[in-house]
Amino acid sequence: MKAKITRLLLTAVLTMCCTVMTNAQVAYRDGKLLIENTGYKDGFEFALYKDYSYTYAYGDNVIKKSFSGNCAVVISGWIDNSNIPSSVTYNDETYTVVALSGTAHFSYFPNLVIPNSVEVIECNAFTNTGTEIPYQLNNLTFADGDKDLYCFPLIEAIATAKGGTFLNVNTLKKLHLGRNLRYPGDDDNKQGNLAPFANGTFSELEVTVGPNVTKIPDFCFYKAPLSTLSLFQGVKTLNLSNATSLQSIGRCAFFSNSINMALDFSKATSLQSIGDMAFGNCILFNNINFGNIPLTDIGAGAFLGCTNLSQAFFFSNTPPTFGESCFPENTTVYVKNSNLETEYSKVYDFKGKIIAYPDNMMLKYQTTDGKIIPYPTYHGTIPIYDPSIYNSYETGYGTMYFDHVLTSIGGNWFNECGSLFSISMPNTISSIGELAFFQCTNLRTLVIPESVNNIGKRAFRDCVSLHDVFFLGNNNSTIS
């Protein structure tokens, strides 16, 4: 996955203009330096420039970001101040804050908000090299905005080809992506190892994607599968509920991370593509809801190696093109109608199942205090096995009602649903799937209508509270 990079012997020379050079690398700040250090203004110290620019070159990659007019670069700050200002006034002149210095050690800040005005994070901005102060950064926010943020890597990381800007920030717990991130080589996929969070040493990271982000770049949160330990590091939660402008998730963007919740893409209403191996080797999450988004392409191996992934749901009339081995073979893919079921069964390249679910199905849940609320599923449309979601809606044991015509109850639909104590089935159901009510430990009463002619294996296994079962079928029914 990673581009091969020749190990370099680095000789770093830091000057007042933050120049770093090796035999294959150049990173330097340019422009007319007006004030070397303003002293503390709004809790931060700044270097002031006229026409600031930052140039970075590594191998064939050369990036130069230039800004005209009055510019400010953050060079230091008080640790108890977390909001970097978008501008600063000095001697009655206003300077736009456009960059974070590579000598500022921003990893010391427990909380940090980077404004939309900042477009450059210089090399080494998030490191504690040369100091004894430990990393403290827990919450990092890239404020919502429309400007791309260029994240340049750690100098020490380039020597070992390990990762990018935030490689060693092992204390990071929460991250808000409010705009698009860029890094050296992201245009040609040659330098994935320099992606901002690639191979980061953080664990249990919660990532929220804002409404202005259009792309999560290739390798952004990539983790090399080096050991069993790495499977439980990296991104734990990915929240796309406000990612309404997100159009693409890049190649290997979340490869080998520890995402342990069901993935919900349904609110990412602009998402069109998921790159090759984007979520490969993420072994913990077990379900995906694609909703009715305009997804057109899922890349090769996008979810390959996700060994716990059992179900994926598409509510669109036109599900995307599936790349080679994009899902593991144990996954069941639910599509909207029988025509799609037939179509995808012919072209699909894994050994799992393609199943059409009933159109317009809606479930409701009645609590013991009489409230009727949508069943705790994504969009209230189809059950997804995730006990944590069920429990978060539990306000007392309740009864499940089916509002629309339903012909079957699928396998695992209510698996481990501890909040269910009875269920009312319409007389249109012909089958109950395998493990459909497995470990519904509070299910007490069950009426199976006469229309049911097949009950799958272990459908009610370990329903330890079940004491009243009324089967209205006949002797021709098949009960495993």
Side-chain angles (χ1 to χ4, degrees):
M1 286 295 171
K2 296 190 299 182
K4 294 182 179 178
I5 298 180
T6 304
R7 184 178 181 87
L8 301 175
L9 176 62
L10 298 182
T11 304
V13 179
L14 297 178
T15 69
M16 190 61 65
C17 62
C18 196
T19 300
V20 180
M21 304 185 67
T22 73
N23 61 335
Q25 174 185 250
V26 177
Y28 61 91
R29 188 191 304 165
D30 204 353
K32 183 179 179 181
L33 180 61
L34 302 177
I35 300 294
E36 180 181 320
N37 191 328
T38 61
Y40 283 101
K41 307 281 290 182
D42 299 325
F44 294 90
E45 292 180 310
F46 303 89
L48 303 182
Y49 284 84
K50 193 76 171 179
D51 303 331
Y52 161 90
S53 69
Y54 190 75
T55 300
Y56 173 89
Y58 176 60
D60 296 331
N61 296 289
V62 179
I63 296 175
K64 183 174 182 178
K65 288 291 295 178
S66 299
F67 304 85
S68 59
N70 290 348
C71 301
V73 178
V74 185
I75 59 175
S76 183
W78 290 110
I79 290 179
D80 58 354
N81 191 335
S82 63
N83 293 286
I84 297 174
S86 57
S87 63
V88 61
T89 300
Y90 190 82
N91 289 343
D92 297 326
E93 287 199 55
T94 300
Y95 296 80
T96 302
V97 180
V98 297
L100 306 186
S101 169
T103 60
H105 305 301
F106 291 99
S107 58
Y108 303 153
F109 291 74
N111 306 290
L112 190 66
V113 179
I114 300 175
N116 185 47
S117 64
V118 173
E119 297 184 54
V120 170
I121 297 179
E122 296 181 353
C123 292
N124 280 13
F126 287 84
T127 181
N128 64 353
T129 303
T131 73
E132 296 181 357
I133 303 177
Y135 289 101
Q136 300 182 54
L137 184 60
N138 295 135
N139 303 314
L140 176 62
T141 298
F142 300 116
D144 294 343
D146 56 358
K147 296 178 180 178
D148 289 354
L149 177 59
Y150 282 77
C151 302
F152 295 97
L154 302 182
I155 300 304
E156 61 188 79
I158 294 175
T160 55
K162 284 183 177 180
T165 311
F166 304 94
L167 172 67
N168 294 325
V169 187
N170 56 7
T171 55
L172 193 60
K173 296 298 181 183
K174 291 186 178 181
L175 170 68
H176 176 77
L177 292 180
R179 51 190 169 127
N180 293 334
L181 302 184
R182 302 291 306 274
Y183 66 91
D186 62 356
D187 288 333
D188 55 17
N189 297 328
K190 291 181 179 179
Q191 304 295 344
N193 56 291
L194 301 183
F197 298 91
N199 289 315
T201 54
F202 43 82
S203 61
E204 299 187 347
L205 178 63
E206 298 179 16
V207 177
T208 302
V209 180
N212 294 90
V213 176
T214 61
K215 179 181 181 179
I216 297 176
D218 296 343
F219 293 91
C220 189
F221 296 92
Y222 171 89
K223 291 189 69 65
L226 300 177
S227 66
T228 303
L229 180 62
S230 69
L231 298 176
F232 302 96
Q233 294 180 337
V235 178
K236 176 183 178 181
T237 303
L238 177 61
N239 185 344
L240 300 175
S241 60
N242 292 314
T244 52
S245 298
L246 183 64
Q247 299 176 17
S248 64
I249 296 176
R251 183 165 64 103
C252 295
F254 294 93
F255 183 86
S256 200
N257 275 262
S258 59
I259 300 172
N260 65 358
M261 57 174 285
L263 280 176
D264 186 5
F265 295 99
S266 64
K267 301 297 178 62
T269 52
S270 301
L271 185 61
Q272 299 176 22
S273 66
I274 297 175
D276 296 350
M277 299 299 294
F279 294 88
N281 273 20
C282 293
I283 68 167
L284 298 181
F285 69 86
N286 53 21
N287 286 279
I288 305 175
N289 175 29
F290 290 99
N292 193 25
I293 62 176
L295 193 62
T296 59
D297 180 71
I298 297 180
F303 300 94
L304 187 65
C306 300
T307 53
N308 201 36
L309 178 58
S310 60
Q311 297 170 318
F313 296 87
F314 293 90
F315 297 104
S316 171
N317 285 317
T318 55
T321 299
F322 295 136
E324 181 181 356
S325 301
C326 64
F327 289 104
E329 63 182 39
N330 61 306
T331 304
T332 298
V333 174
Y334 291 86
V335 292
K336 194 168 183 179
N337 57 57
S338 57
N339 291 334
L340 292 172
E341 179 180 354
T342 302
E343 177 184 350
Y344 277 86
S345 294
K346 291 178 180 178
V347 302
Y348 215 64
D349 64 327
F350 75 100
K351 298 177 182 179
K353 298 178 181 179
I354 306 291
I355 297 177
Y357 58 83
D359 195 21
N360 296 323
M361 188 179 72
M362 180 67 72
L363 306 179
K364 289 187 177 180
Y365 173 77
Q366 184 177 27
T367 63
T368 52
D369 58 5
K371 294 181 180 179
I372 297 179
I373 59 177
Y375 186 60
T377 63
Y378 299 114
H379 279 303
T381 44
I382 198 162
I384 294 180
Y385 167 47
D386 188 337
S388 64
I389 296 174
Y390 297 149
N391 293 336
S392 67
Y393 280 76
E394 184 176 339
T395 57
Y397 301 132
T399 301
M400 190 65 61
Y401 293 92
F402 298 89
D403 284 355
H404 295 274
V405 175
L406 187 68
T407 58
S408 65
I409 294 178
N412 289 296
W413 271 23
F414 303 99
N415 194 317
E416 294 188 18
C417 184
S419 60
L420 183 65
F421 79 86
S422 67
I423 186 165
S424 176
M425 301 182 195
N427 201 33
T428 55
I429 292 179
S430 61
S431 65
I432 299 173
E434 183 174 345
L435 295 170
F437 297 90
F438 176 70
Q439 285 191 356
C440 289
T441 54
N442 289 294
L443 181 61
R444 303 170 188 175
T445 303
L446 180 67
V447 178
I448 302 175
E450 61 181 350
S451 57
V452 174
N453 53 46
N454 186 280
I455 299 177
K457 296 178 180 178
R458 302 179 296 278
F460 301 95
R461 180 170 179 172
D462 291 345
C463 294
V464 294
S465 299
L466 188 60
H467 57 81
D468 291 324
V469 179
F470 301 92
F471 182 53
L472 305 182
N474 54 51
N475 293 334
N476 295 323
S477 300
T478 301
I479 303 177
S480 298

